[in-house]
Amino acid sequence: VQLQASGGGLVQAGGSLRLSCVASGRLYSSYLVGWFRQAPGKEREFVAATRWSDSRTYYEDSVKGRFSISKDKIKNTVYLQMNSLKPEDTAVYYCGVSFAYDTNYRAYKYWGQGTQVTVSS
């Protein structure tokens, strides 16, 4: 599985962005597709994830109510809609695939290249 993340950019606080993660190769029903972010000097942290097989979604507490993860199975794409962005959301955002639910980035086997999100105050 190869992943291609895009959609990052520079936005003012309170603004919105939508990230896309396009997968090439088969995504099995048991897979979990997740979004992580990594700020300079910090460890990669979990943001959100969705099971490929059903509608279950998972969010990190600080993004609940602001971010929304969704998928388009026909396009083999997972989206992360980010609203009410804050300066502390600034990071490189990565999408990854895990074989089971996990919020630890070490459990994810495939990664995209990352897309920069910068939120100005």
Side-chain angles (χ1 to χ4, degrees), residues 2-84:
Q2 292 185 321
L3 304 173
Q4 180 79 25
S6 63
L10 173 64
V11 64
Q12 289 188 331
S16 299
L17 284 173
R18 188 178 80 158
L19 306 183
S20 299
C21 176
V22 181
S24 58
R26 182 173 178 178
L27 293 176
Y28 290 90
S29 59
S30 60
Y31 284 5
L32 198 81
V33 181
W35 284 98
F36 286 72
R37 61 188 179 189
Q38 188 166 19
K42 293 189 176 181
E43 197 166 79
R44 193 168 296 190
E45 66 172 5
F46 174 78
V47 176
T50 181
R51 289 197 179 277
W52 192 247
S53 62
D54 56 40
S55 60
R56 279 178 284 182
T57 56
Y58 311 91
Y59 295 94
E60 193 270 329
D61 285 346
S62 71
V63 307
K64 284 180 180 177
R66 300 190 298 125
F67 291 11
S68 177
I69 189 170
S70 62
K71 58 183 176 282
D72 184 329
K73 287 190 171 183
I74 295 175
K75 295 182 179 179
N76 241 29
T77 301
V78 174
Y79 302 99
L80 184 68
Q81 178 66 44
M82 305 186 296
N83 300 326
S84 301

Side-chain angles (χ1 to χ4, degrees), residues 19 35-47 88-95 105-106 111-118:
L19 306 183
W35 284 98
F36 286 72
R37 61 188 179 189
Q38 188 166 19
K42 293 189 176 181
E43 197 166 79
R44 193 168 296 190
E45 66 172 5
F46 174 78
V47 176
E88 50 264 43
D89 294 318
T90 295
V92 177
Y93 283 69
Y94 298 89
C95 59
Y105 72 91
R106 295 177 182 86
W111 289 99
Q113 83 288 4
T115 183
Q116 176 71 47
V117 171
T118 303

